[in-house]
Amino acid sequence: MKVTNKFSLILITVLLSTAVFAEEPVLVKEFVGQIEFVQGRITQLADAVPQSDYEWRPEKGVRSVSEVYLHIAFSNYMTVSITGGTVPKEVGFEMDFSKEHDWDIQTTDKTIILEKVNESFATLKEWTKSLTEEDLNREVEAFGMTMTIRNFMITMIGHTHEHLGQSIAYARTNHVTPPWSKKDSEG
């Protein structure tokens, strides 16, 4: 009887430890790492661009500097929504593609935009950390296609990096050097 009790105690301890200390799926860790990297670059660049350039756009019909940053926030919230998460109501986000342009043009104020971008990244990271391997394999509808959440997340990190590149091009066109480039060139 003592052996059975000890075995049962050990088994329960192992099972509880596994449940409590279950590791995040590898994709979740890597996605969050990429999000933290790209957030750092985007916010450094957004901070380096002067307020006077936030309304600049390369040509009519193309997103302005401010619109690109707000679009990144929209995309972060869209990722949370499509994958089953909830965006805080006070953010004012509505998962409605017909209102995406309205979101992108809501303000040109640099301070407000940086707050919105950082809030969106925080919401995205918090939600992503809750995803399980089972969640990642669940299918969702996005962009007229059916794909797993895993595939959708890979698509969205690429999308975010695309807008980082766009923001770098906008900044350099306006004679703003990305802060990390200055550090690299200084040795």
Side-chain angles (χ1 to χ4, degrees):
M1 194 89 158
K2 284 186 174 183
V3 172
T4 304
N5 286 344
K6 284 182 182 180
F7 177 75
S8 296
L9 184 60
I10 290 170
L11 182 61
I12 289 170
T13 302
V14 168
L15 290 174
L16 288 175
S17 297
T18 303
V20 171
F21 298 110
E23 286 196 38
E24 292 177 317
V26 171
L27 179 69
V28 168
K29 288 180 184 178
E30 292 173 347
F31 183 85
V32 170
Q34 281 294 307
I35 287 297
E36 288 173 348
F37 171 82
V38 78
Q39 177 185 9
R41 291 287 168 97
I42 287 169
T43 55
Q44 287 177 56
L45 192 56
D47 193 45
V49 172
Q51 174 64 60
S52 60
D53 287 343
Y54 265 58
E55 293 184 48
W56 181 88
R57 67 182 74 241
E59 63 183 57
K60 186 177 179 180
V62 178
R63 285 187 178 105
S64 68
V65 171
S66 64
E67 291 168 1
V68 170
Y69 292 131
L70 288 168
H71 177 72
I72 291 167
F74 180 93
S75 297
N76 288 341
Y77 289 134
M78 178 190 71
T79 300
V80 171
S81 295
I82 287 177
T83 58
T86 304
V87 175
K89 291 207 184 297
E90 62 271 9
V91 168
F93 173 83
E94 188 175 342
M95 185 59 243
D96 181 347
F97 285 113
S98 70
K99 296 182 180 178
E100 179 181 4
H101 180 70
D102 293 338
W103 174 274
D104 291 354
I105 63 169
Q106 64 184 288
T107 185
T108 59
D109 184 285
K110 176 179 174 171
T111 303
I112 294 170
I113 290 170
L114 276 165
E115 288 172 5
K116 289 185 175 295
V117 167
N118 282 318
E119 288 169 0
S120 74
F121 276 115
T123 300
L124 177 60
K125 287 186 286 190
E126 182 181 335
W127 166 246
T128 300
K129 289 177 181 180
S130 75
L131 295 173
T132 65
E133 197 65 42
E134 185 177 322
D135 293 330
L136 294 174
N137 294 324
R138 193 168 28 91
E139 290 187 336
V140 294
E141 295 289 325
F143 312 121
M145 298 179 280
T146 300
M147 62 182 87
T148 63
I149 288 176
R150 177 185 317 280
N151 188 359
F152 180 68
M153 289 174 65
I154 291 167
T155 300
M156 293 313 294
I157 197 64
H159 178 258
T160 306
H161 276 280
E162 174 187 342
H163 288 301
L164 170 60
Q166 179 183 18
S167 298
I168 292 168
Y170 280 22
R172 288 192 181 275
T173 299
N174 286 288
H175 310 289
V176 175
T177 302
W180 61 90
S181 289
K182 287 181 185 178
K183 291 175 188 171
D184 290 346
S185 65
E186 292 169 0

